[in-house]
Amino acid sequence: GLCAASEFKDDRLQIVVSYAESQVNHDSRWLLIELGAFSRSTVTIERSRIELVTPDGSVVAHATPDRFREASDITAPRLRRPSSASRLAWYLPYDGLAANGWSYSWREPRISLAPLDVAPRFGPAFTALPFESPTGAWDAGLYALIVPYDGSKAILPIALR
């Protein structure tokens, strides 16, 4: 299972996030959250507007892909290649999964600020969300991941121990 995970679900969208690696490594300036989403209608997640609210109420924007790539500690294996997509997929429905021999291998999370379209014909969608701490590390506590989509917002708790 996912030891550090959170879920949001309403009548239009289901989101599951994993932050297992960051849960045990939040002394880094980078917090990496992997997100999987599924919808039975077409929904657009606005990645450029995703934010993380810290325990003290300050807001950290989703880091740009260029900033994440140029970071000096990006060589850490846990930041090079997000690895929870296959586990996230088990928490998301997909009607044609077995019948179509669906493979997630080509849908590994990508870091991007482009809108993420979630639609039944695509199956579950995945993305990786990097956040850079303004202080150089992440304090233990309860954070809120804010995911805007189609005029609404999904709010997911992120608990760092």
Side-chain angles (χ1 to χ4, degrees), residues 75-156:
T75 54
R78 70 187 182 82
L79 294 178
R80 269 205 311 267
R81 188 170 180 274
S83 59
S84 295
S86 60
R87 284 178 289 161
L88 285 172
W90 288 107
Y91 292 83
L92 299 167
Y94 182 61
D95 298 337
L97 188 58
N100 297 336
W102 188 266
S103 168
Y104 291 98
S105 60
W106 63 278
R107 290 182 71 78
E108 282 290 316
R110 297 280 181 257
I111 294 167
S112 170
L113 290 179
L116 179 66
D117 289 324
V118 184
R121 69 183 182 279
F122 301 143
F126 301 98
T127 190
L129 309 171
F131 295 92
E132 185 175 13
S133 169
T135 63
W138 297 93
D139 294 329
L142 187 62
Y143 293 72
L145 180 68
I146 312 296
V147 182
Y149 70 97
D150 292 354
S152 297
K153 285 184 183 175
I155 302 175
L156 297 99

Side-chain angles (χ1 to χ4, degrees), residues 12 23 26 36 41 43 48 50 64 67 72 82 86 88 96 100 102 119 126-129 140 157 159:
R12 296 174 57 215
Q23 174 68 279
H26 57 87
S41 59
V43 171
S48 64
I50 292 175
T64 66
R67 174 69 192 123
S72 59
S86 60
L88 285 172
N100 297 336
W102 188 266
F126 301 98
T127 190
L129 309 171

Side-chain angles (χ1 to χ4, degrees), residues 22 25-32 52 54-56 58-63 67-68 71 73 78-79 129-140 143 160:
S22 292
N25 293 294
H26 57 87
D27 55 340
S28 159
R29 66 186 163 130
W30 289 103
L31 184 66
L32 190 65
L52 190 66
T54 67
D56 70 7
S58 58
V59 176
V60 181
H62 180 307
R67 174 69 192 123
F68 189 61
D73 53 0
R78 70 187 182 82
L79 294 178
L129 309 171
F131 295 92
E132 185 175 13
S133 169
T135 63
W138 297 93
D139 294 329
Y143 293 72
L160 297 183

